[in-house]
Amino acid sequence: GAVVSQHPSRVICKSGTSVKIECRSLDFQATTMFWYRQFPKQSLMLMATSNEGSKATYEQGVEKDKFLINHASLTLSTLTVTSAHPEDSSFYICSANLGAEQYFGPGTRLTVT
Amino acid sequence: QKEVEQNSGPLSVPEGAIASLNCTYSDRVSQSFFWYRQYSGKSPELIMSIYSNGDKEDGRFTAQLNKASQYVSLLIRDSQPSDSATYLCAVRYNFNKFYFGSGTKLNVKP
């Protein structure tokens, strides 16, 4: 069964607004979670590593002020896309490590109009 | 720079054949290797993990690891149209971080 959940699965928002995506580990604690973005027909791109109780680590080229990450508990990380623009439309996927393996949430499809 | 390389494909095989997917990686200290399957519009799903040299079998799937040559492969026996997807190779270099290949698209033709 699923070990990582995401909410919402799909969201449409207007340009300039902010959108929050939640990622939860189910029945296990995840001190570290990851946020990825995937554009159509392209590969996964790691955006940031979310660390419980401390600041997220962003990959090169990812704007930390635009993609706010909060990992407030051992089972929840949130990604907020601030002042969204149409070019932010993408498939956002979180993941968490359980033991040696990494499991992905079902993803959130964001469309910015 | 840690790299994971895969042929993007598409790899086309007839139903019932063996599909062979390959992946190479750049860093010799890598310890853990994974194969994920991603259907169009869905998130990746873990299908195999392998940690030591040799073969690991799970149903119709066999993962093969050769650390000396720095490659890992996935064999799918008796391929089915439902196996048509993009297969991602992943390598774990430290406790937390995974590096993913760009994926190989597999088409299994009925």
Side-chain angles (χ1 to χ4, degrees):
Chain A
V3 298
V4 179
S5 69
Q6 258 182 268
H7 178 81
S9 59
R10 189 176 295 266
V11 58
I12 301 172
C13 71
K14 292 187 176 181
S15 186
T17 62
S18 296
V19 173
K20 180 186 283 189
I21 303 170
E22 292 186 349
C23 177
R24 293 182 185 274
S25 58
L26 305 177
D27 300 323
F28 72 99
Q29 295 179 340
T31 55
T32 303
M33 293 183 176
F34 304 90
W35 288 97
Y36 294 84
R37 180 168 56 181
Q38 189 175 38
F39 292 106
K41 299 188 188 301
Q42 294 189 22
S43 58
L44 285 173
M45 187 194 84
L46 178 65
M47 298 176 66
T49 301
S50 172
N51 304 299
E52 189 270 335
S54 64
K55 291 183 179 180
T57 304
Y58 290 82
E59 296 298 304
Q60 192 171 8
V62 178
E63 301 174 59
K64 62 181 181 181
D65 294 330
K66 181 169 180 63
F67 299 100
L68 301 179
I69 292 173
N70 184 18
H71 195 148
S73 79
L74 287 170
T75 60
L76 173 64
S77 175
T78 61
L79 169 68
T80 300
V81 183
T82 63
S83 186
H85 288 94
E87 57 265 31
D88 298 323
S89 298
S90 188
F91 191 41
Y92 292 85
I93 316 171
C94 72
S95 69
N97 290 352
L98 177 58
E101 299 170 342
Q102 184 168 135
Y103 291 88
F104 287 89
T108 297
R109 190 161 303 281
L110 170 64
T111 303
V112 184
T113 60
Chain B
Q1 179 72 15
K2 302 198 179 4
E3 296 187 350
V4 180
E5 300 285 344
Q6 292 182 258
N7 188 318
S8 61
L11 173 66
S12 293
V13 300
E15 184 175 356
I18 296 175
S20 177
L21 305 162
N22 299 310
C23 170
T24 59
Y25 58 95
S26 62
D27 197 314
R28 288 190 176 275
V29 301
S30 308
Q31 294 298 317
S32 307
F33 307 86
F34 307 87
W35 283 99
Y36 290 82
R37 177 176 62 199
Q38 186 175 23
Y39 292 113
S40 181
K42 303 294 185 183
S43 67
E45 172 193 12
L46 179 64
I47 54 172
M48 289 285 286
S49 59
I50 187 166
Y51 306 105
S52 55
N53 278 329
D55 295 0
K56 178 182 178 182
E57 187 174 318
D58 184 359
R60 295 186 295 113
F61 298 99
T62 299
Q64 300 175 317
L65 175 60
N66 184 324
K67 290 188 178 180
S69 301
Q70 295 175 237
Y71 84 78
V72 57
S73 62
L74 179 69
L75 301 178
I76 307 175
R77 289 183 299 282
D78 187 23
S79 295
Q80 302 296 309
S82 59
D83 294 326
S84 298
T86 297
Y87 289 80
L88 303 172
C89 171
V91 177
R92 192 182 72 179
Y93 286 99
N94 58 35
F95 182 72
N96 280 330
K97 204 164 183 178
F98 285 57
Y99 290 82
F100 287 85
S102 56
T104 298
K105 186 171 183 178
L106 173 66
N107 290 330
V108 180
K109 297 187 252 185

